[in-house]
Amino acid sequence: MILYDLNPNAKIGKDVTIGNFTTIYDDVVIGDGTWVGPNVTIFPGARIGKNCKIFPGSVISAIPQDLKFAGEYTICEIGDNNVIRECCTVNRGTSASGKTVIGNNNLLMAYVHIAHDCIVGDNCVFANNATLAGHIVVGDYVILGGKTACLQFIHIGSHAITSGGSLVDKDIPPFVKAARYPISYAGVNSLGLQRRGFSREAINNITDIYRFVFQKGWSISHAVEEIKEQYGHTDEGKQVLSFIGAATTGLMKGYTFMKRD
């Protein structure tokens, strides 16, 4: 017995499982081997890759929560091997970029929200209730702690990690830990980098680079000049310089100590 609503114009790959009471609209593409659980809603414009798992209550490719949205045609691209847990929401794009994009091999835990025009890389983990406002760019291997809330237009560099409950209103560069309020530098994500095969030399270079940026009290322009001179030839130096050069909302603060009452 068929207990789901599948539009005949949706393009469904091989070995796709669709759970009970799920609704899949027109103009939807789902790749081979993907599992769509019960009570999922997939709206027009969804492009879902292979071997994904979408758990109950999730809503994919709904129209943006943006008052400027005027009904223009946009899409929501989700790559391969993504796990989208219960009650996640991923909105499609607006005319600003035309699409929302999620890469491959990501884990979105329960109640994650990804708004319109966001770009998320590969191998990221967003813990429960992490939320992205519109137009956010997230690199690869980023971990967002539970209830992390990210302001629109910010950028988060690859291999960064935030503490639970973070309010992210400034750009977070690659390779770092970010915590506290206002969001601040909390060290290099050394453990994560070790797990991903970064050499001790590369991690030491990154640590020195961020001493220039966040711990010496220098201006960003001064720090950039020192990074260019001492580490501009390294891959990690090039990545940090590229990120700083493209920063749109300003970098997060350096280490801050807050005295508790």
Side-chain angles (χ1 to χ4, degrees):
M1 180 183 297
I2 297 175
L3 294 176
Y4 54 80
D5 184 3
L6 174 62
N7 189 286
N9 294 320
K11 297 179 180 178
I12 308 299
K14 298 177 182 178
D15 300 318
V16 171
T17 299
I18 302 173
N20 293 338
F21 310 113
T22 282
T23 300
I24 299 175
Y25 283 78
D26 189 11
D27 189 30
V28 169
V29 178
I30 300 177
D32 297 347
T34 287
W35 178 83
V36 182
N39 294 294
V40 173
T41 303
I42 304 178
F43 283 105
R47 305 288 184 266
I48 299 169
K50 299 177 181 179
N51 301 313
C52 293
K53 295 186 179 190
I54 305 176
F55 281 71
S58 293
V59 179
I60 309 298
S61 198
I63 63 172
Q65 298 175 107
D66 183 343
L67 295 177
K68 300 185 298 299
F69 181 71
E72 60 266 26
Y73 179 77
T74 57
I75 63 175
C76 172
E77 293 183 0
I78 297 174
D80 300 333
N81 305 307
N82 291 293
V83 176
I84 301 175
R85 293 301 305 255
E86 294 82 358
C87 301
C88 290
T89 52
V90 184
N91 294 162
R92 61 186 174 99
T94 69
S95 59
S97 67
K99 59 186 178 181
T100 300
V101 180
I102 298 175
N104 304 313
N105 307 307
N106 298 292
L107 169 59
L108 309 183
M109 295 187 191
Y111 292 95
V112 164
H113 173 67
I114 298 178
H116 57 88
D117 303 290
C118 287
I119 300 174
V120 176
D122 301 332
N123 302 294
C124 296
V125 177
F126 294 177
N128 300 304
N129 292 102
T131 59
L132 303 187
H135 310 278
I136 289 173
V137 178
V138 178
D140 300 331
Y141 293 99
V142 170
I143 298 176
L144 299 183
K147 297 186 178 179
T148 293
C150 301
L151 191 68
Q152 63 264 26
F153 295 105
I154 67 154
H155 290 185
I156 301 176
S158 296
H159 304 280
I161 182 171
T162 69
S163 67
S166 293
L167 175 59
V168 182
D169 58 356
K170 295 290 183 181
D171 290 353
I172 298 176
F175 313 124
V176 303
K177 297 183 288 187
R180 309 181 184 91
Y181 181 80
I183 195 71
S184 305
Y185 175 70
V188 171
N189 184 18
S190 301
L191 182 58
L193 297 177
Q194 290 173 18
R195 289 171 173 170
R196 293 168 204 137
F198 280 71
S199 68
R200 173 49 55 187
E201 180 184 8
I203 294 172
N204 288 341
N205 289 346
I206 291 166
T207 301
D208 287 343
I209 285 168
Y210 284 119
R211 285 197 185 102
F212 297 158
V213 176
F214 291 122
Q215 293 178 281
K216 286 185 172 290
W218 292 348
S219 67
I220 293 298
S221 59
H222 184 183
V224 164
E225 290 305 314
E226 290 292 333
I227 296 168
K228 287 180 180 177
E229 180 177 345
Q230 298 191 40
Y231 298 100
H233 62 286
T234 66
D235 289 341
E236 48 274 13
K238 291 174 183 177
Q239 287 189 58
V240 173
L241 289 170
S242 176
F243 185 93
I244 291 175
T248 57
T249 62
L251 294 183
M252 66 180 182
K253 292 180 176 293
Y255 176 86
T256 55
F257 175 77
M258 292 186 298
K259 184 178 180 181
R260 295 184 180 274
D261 294 333

